[in-house]
Amino acid sequence: MTTLLTHVTLFDGQGGEPLEDGALEIQDDGRIGWVGKTRELPRDIRAGAQKIDGGGQFLMPGLVDAHIHICWNGEESIFELLERDRSAILLEAVSLARRTLQQGTTSIRDVGGHEYIEMHLRAAVARGWIEGPRMKLSGRVISMTGGHGHFIAREADGPAEILKAAREQIKAGADTVKLMATGGSATPGQDVMASQLTQEELAAAVAAAHPMGRTVAAHAHGPSGIQNATLAGLDSVEHGSYLNEECAALMAERGTQLVVTLGVANPEIEDVHALTPIQRADYERRKDGIQSSRDRYIQTLQIARAHGVFLACGTDAGGNALAPHRHAMAREIELLIDYGVPPLDALTMGTKHNARVLRMEDEVGTLERGKWADLLLLRGNPLEDPRQLRAVAAVWKGGQAVDLRSGRLDD
Ligand SMILES: [Zn+2]
């Protein structure tokens, strides 16, 4: 029997204002059927369906997180996590995957895994052993010797080694190849403005990935790294916190996607004293940078929008000790709005645009007939109050209602 959601404010993710008193049909095959006004529902669809009255709540596509680290908890440092037994990492990742889904994030792109645990996680979800979002994965990140994240990376130098390193990830099951094009703040002692890996080295990853139908993503903060990545033909630049006019023009011309990660640069800290010693140390180290990175990201977003750069977003949850998974996508969209992105555009970034980064735009990201019924029902309208993104009433993935009761992140 098909399921009918009626009397909802329906945001279809296609860029327009939401439809008042909307209805959506979930077909037996888990895909979306009819979408429109409740009062215009065809009689035959209404007759044969199980009805759920949405009572004016807000229905939108499931969120898509374009930059996450599903194996790491975002509470301990990477160095602590690397000390831990592989099985313990895996068991926590199972929990993180379920909780991510419970928050309404129905698809993710992991851009930095842990000993390929994420590949097994994806397989377990696909087989129905555990609950979790749809996943696109990068496997191990690739960095130059001693580059950003070298302690977790496949280190490689020179185009030939990069080519091999990229092919190793694809062999292991990667959908995207992730490289480090500049320094990063999570690696002690690095300069985020300094480029790492040359344009030729980055281009070698493209040469490995594109013929295999895979995408290539680069971590890049400073303009020289952003420029190298764009000229090398990469699909996306991650973070891009020091985007300038010249890089933005180049990215727009080449169609390079920018995946901003605001939450990781501006951690949500209600009480400094409640932090663990590791988190406290991380916070003290980065405290001065947090305010400036906020100002800088407002500029990055303005420049990107002015030049028409394709904008997407990710949480970077798990990326460091102050990047928790709790409400991560909700918070990312709240920050986008806070930093000046119109609410409608911010919500479109977190759904339709991110689906395109994952190359899943034909399957998810908007509420259209034939796509997967990956749905998020919120108690209030996030276009009026972004905090409503945390007020999850129900989640469906592929038409299946997700159990929200067990082990929620906001318990
Ligand atoms: Zn990251």
Side-chain angles (χ1 to χ4, degrees):
M1 191 189 272
T2 64
T3 304
L4 256 185
L5 293 167
T6 58
H7 306 295
V8 289
T9 300
L10 194 145
F11 173 78
D12 67 8
Q14 300 197 72
E17 292 289 337
L19 188 68
E20 291 304 327
D21 199 25
L24 179 142
E25 181 196 15
I26 303 172
Q27 297 176 167
D28 289 337
D29 61 2
R31 293 187 181 265
I32 297 169
W34 194 89
V35 184
K37 287 262 192 198
T38 300
R39 62 179 153 77
E40 288 164 11
L41 258 168
R43 196 183 295 263
D44 55 325
I45 292 176
R46 189 189 285 268
Q50 178 201 346
K51 293 170 204 68
I52 299 174
D53 190 328
Q57 297 184 100
F58 191 90
L59 185 72
M60 60 176 288
L63 293 163
V64 181
D65 189 341
H67 186 131
I68 193 174
H69 302 279
I70 197 69
C71 295
W72 301 321
N73 58 28
E75 291 160 9
E76 293 167 272
S77 77
I78 294 298
F79 304 103
E80 277 184 300
L81 294 169
L82 285 170
E83 292 290 308
R84 201 186 282 178
D85 190 272
R86 198 169 182 273
S87 313
I89 299 279
L90 169 61
L91 287 168
E92 188 166 28
V94 168
S95 165
L96 290 171
R98 186 187 68 234
R99 289 143 75 191
T100 298
L101 185 61
Q102 287 172 333
Q103 298 180 118
T105 300
T106 48
S107 300
I108 61 169
R109 184 179 67 142
D110 186 291
V111 283
H114 189 107
E115 296 177 18
Y116 304 122
I117 281 173
E118 65 284 0
M119 304 288 175
H120 300 290
L121 199 66
R122 174 174 61 187
V125 170
R127 287 170 189 164
W129 296 348
I130 59 169
E131 280 200 306
R134 304 177 195 281
M135 298 184 199
K136 295 286 182 172
L137 309 169
S138 77
R140 287 180 89 166
V141 298
I142 300 171
S143 82
M144 66 177 198
T145 296
H148 176 46
H150 58 85
F151 32 84
I152 47 136
R154 162 68 159 93
E155 292 178 292
D157 303 292
E161 263 186 52
I162 298 280
L163 192 78
K164 187 163 180 59
R167 285 177 176 160
E168 284 169 8
Q169 307 320 308
I170 295 167
K171 183 182 176 188
D175 309 284
T176 188
V177 173
K178 165 82 180 297
L179 304 113
M180 301 303 194
T182 70
S185 57
T187 306
Q190 289 213 343
D191 177 4
V192 298
M193 298 302 274
S195 59
Q196 299 185 353
L197 294 175
T198 63
Q199 195 183 311
E200 290 69 31
E201 286 173 316
L202 294 165
V206 175
H210 282 181
M212 303 284 283
R214 268 64 168 191
T215 57
V216 188
H219 158 106
H221 290 291
S224 58
I226 297 173
Q227 186 173 319
N228 283 342
T230 306
L231 290 174
L234 270 68
D235 301 280
S236 69
V237 165
E238 311 293 310
H239 317 298
S241 45
Y242 290 88
L243 183 76
N244 63 17
E245 303 275 351
E246 196 188 345
C247 287
L250 194 64
M251 287 180 73
E253 187 193 309
R254 301 284 177 109
T256 314
Q257 301 162 337
L258 177 61
V259 181
V260 296
T261 56
L262 310 181
V264 73
N266 185 2
E268 183 172 46
I269 295 164
E270 279 151 14
D271 178 10
V272 174
H273 302 286
L275 298 176
T276 65
I278 293 283
Q279 289 176 320
R280 185 74 179 266
D282 204 44
Y283 174 69
E284 291 300 331
R285 183 166 68 83
R286 291 167 52 201
K287 197 168 59 179
D288 296 340
I290 288 171
Q291 186 56 42
S292 64
S293 77
R294 180 183 191 277
D295 299 342
R296 184 49 241 196
Y297 249 131
I298 289 171
Q299 232 177 311
T300 279
L301 286 166
Q302 280 170 352
I303 294 170
R305 286 171 62 80
H307 284 273
V309 175
F310 183 90
L311 270 170
C313 63
T315 60
D316 212 354
N320 67 55
L322 291 173
H325 290 263
R326 187 172 177 266
H327 297 309
M329 265 307 282
R331 178 163 159 77
E332 192 63 27
I333 292 171
E334 288 164 20
L335 285 173
L336 283 168
I337 295 167
D338 186 33
Y339 289 11
V341 176
L344 204 64
D345 292 356
L347 228 49
T348 305
M349 281 171 66
T351 51
K352 184 187 183 186
H353 283 201
N354 284 356
R356 194 160 133 196
V357 173
L358 272 68
R359 295 251 175 110
M360 292 182 75
E361 68 269 32
D362 294 335
E363 296 289 330
V364 301
T366 58
L367 304 184
E368 289 176 88
R369 177 187 283 275
K371 288 195 177 181
W372 286 116
D374 287 6
L375 313 170
L376 171 55
L377 186 68
L378 300 169
R379 287 195 278 275
N381 184 342
L383 297 169
E384 291 162 5
D385 171 17
R387 296 283 294 193
Q388 294 300 327
L389 283 160
R390 303 184 188 214
V392 176
V395 178
W396 289 263
K397 182 189 153 202
Q400 295 289 319
V402 174
D403 178 5
L404 301 185
R405 289 167 302 181
S406 55
R408 294 180 55 133
L409 281 172
D410 52 358
D411 279 349

